[in-house]
């Protein structure tokens, strides 16, 4: 009797992207880091909101626009409340929103450091013939799929490549860049474990944290 092990990997960046800006005080282009604090300014019926960043060298602040001259009644109540309360989770999501940040900073420093939280979803009894990994990626990441698989499964990248070329490892949906593409939400990887001498160990590593 052989079966399938389903796991979910939630992949989150550990360091928010940092805009590289001309710091007036340093007289140089320096990385700025989110302070985790939001500034609000309401004038009549309109409001502005900024996420406050600080130069990593001298601390000079830079305000990244979140809402600009927006009519208060047009702001989604959830967002308004989160901004007013400086809600940590929501502010963190803003700091990790690399696409929005790019609108205000041409150059960014992006870290490829990620944390992978593994969760076994359901499993047939051992031994497993198939491993299915579903990816949950709440923020855009610059991390490449082959690197992430290698590090998280404790395998060399050569081994990952070999698994792919032999057809044992498949990325779904299939794309031109294959495993060189960045890790993204809703991608899936399946690995055929049948006949792999370390197949069951691999499945263990894939389904357990640490
Ligand atoms: Zn500075």
């Amino acid at each position: 009797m052989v079966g399938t092990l389903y796991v979910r990997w939630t992949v989150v960046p550990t360091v928010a992207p940092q805009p590289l800006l001309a710091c007036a005080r340093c007289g140089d282009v320096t990385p700025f880091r989110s302070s985790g604090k939001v500034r609000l300014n309401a004038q009549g019926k309109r409001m502005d909101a900024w996420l406050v960043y600080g130069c990593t060298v001298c601390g000079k602040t830079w305000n990244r626009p979140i809402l600009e001259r927006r009519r208060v009644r047009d702001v989604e109540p959830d967002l308004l409340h989160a901004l007013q309360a400086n809600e940590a989770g929501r502010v963190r999501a803003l700091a990790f929103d690399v696409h929005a940040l790019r609108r205000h900073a041409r150059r960014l420093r992006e870290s490829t450091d990620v944390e992978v939280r593994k969760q076994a979803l359901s499993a047939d009894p051992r031994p497993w013939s198939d491993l299915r990994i579903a990816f949950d990626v709440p923020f855009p990441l610059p991390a490449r799929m082959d690197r992430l698989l290698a590090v998280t499964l404790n395998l060399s990248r050569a081994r990952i490549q070999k698994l792919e070329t032999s057809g044992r490892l498949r990325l779904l949906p299939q794309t031109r860049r294959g495993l060189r593409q960045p890790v993204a939400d809703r991608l899936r990887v399946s690995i055929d474990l049948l006949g792999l001498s370390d197949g069951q160990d691999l499945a263990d590593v894939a389904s357990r944290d640490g």
Side-chain angles (χ1 to χ4, degrees), residues 13-22 29-36 51-60 62 64 92-113 140-142:
T14 52
V15 182
Q18 298 182 343
L20 294 168
L21 304 168
V29 173
T30 57
F32 280 61
R33 186 190 296 131
S34 165
S35 67
L51 179 57
V52 182
Y53 284 70
C55 169
T56 53
V57 179
C58 74
K60 187 177 167 52
W62 170 66
R64 170 186 151 198
R92 191 178 140 81
L94 291 170
F96 280 95
D97 185 347
V98 69
H99 298 311
L101 177 58
R102 258 185 229 288
R103 289 202 284 274
H104 302 284
R106 204 177 306 158
R107 291 174 58 205
L108 302 179
R109 176 185 284 180
E110 286 185 84
S111 166
T112 53
D113 289 349
L141 291 176

Side-chain angles (χ1 to χ4, degrees), residues 146-165:
D146 52 356
R147 289 195 188 131
L148 182 88
L149 286 169
V151 169
T152 313
L153 292 174
N154 242 334
L155 300 174
S156 68
R157 264 165 69 199
R159 177 82 194 284
I160 295 289
Q161 215 157 48
K162 203 172 147 202
L163 287 169
E164 188 195 21
T165 46

Side-chain angles (χ1 to χ4, degrees), residues 1-142:
M1 187 55 190
V2 287
T4 301
L5 172 65
Y6 295 91
V7 300
R8 177 188 293 135
W9 288 4
T10 303
V11 188
V12 289
T14 52
V15 182
Q18 298 182 343
L20 294 168
L21 304 168
C23 175
R25 198 185 289 161
C26 290
D28 203 354
V29 173
T30 57
F32 280 61
R33 186 190 296 131
S34 165
S35 67
K37 300 228 166 21
V38 170
R39 238 192 87 196
L40 296 175
N41 181 39
Q43 275 187 334
K45 291 180 175 141
R46 292 185 182 265
M47 66 176 292
D48 293 279
W50 303 270
L51 179 57
V52 182
Y53 284 70
C55 169
T56 53
V57 179
C58 74
K60 187 177 167 52
T61 57
W62 170 66
N63 291 334
R64 170 186 151 198
I66 303 297
L67 302 174
E68 292 176 279
R69 306 293 302 148
R70 190 79 62 86
R71 284 203 298 200
V72 176
R73 66 167 189 209
D74 291 344
V75 180
E76 186 216 330
D78 259 11
L79 176 63
L80 184 61
H81 175 77
L83 293 173
Q84 283 167 337
N86 213 85
E87 213 177 85
R90 195 74 184 246
V91 174
R92 191 178 140 81
L94 291 170
F96 280 95
D97 185 347
V98 69
H99 298 311
L101 177 58
R102 258 185 229 288
R103 289 202 284 274
H104 302 284
R106 204 177 306 158
R107 291 174 58 205
L108 302 179
R109 176 185 284 180
E110 286 185 84
S111 166
T112 53
D113 289 349
V114 294
E115 183 193 328
V116 180
R117 297 177 203 136
K118 305 167 192 165
Q119 185 189 4
L121 295 178
S122 69
D124 299 322
R126 287 162 176 271
W128 299 302
S129 60
D130 258 309
L131 169 65
R132 306 272 174 89
I133 306 167
F135 287 85
D136 185 7
V137 184
F139 308 116
L141 291 176

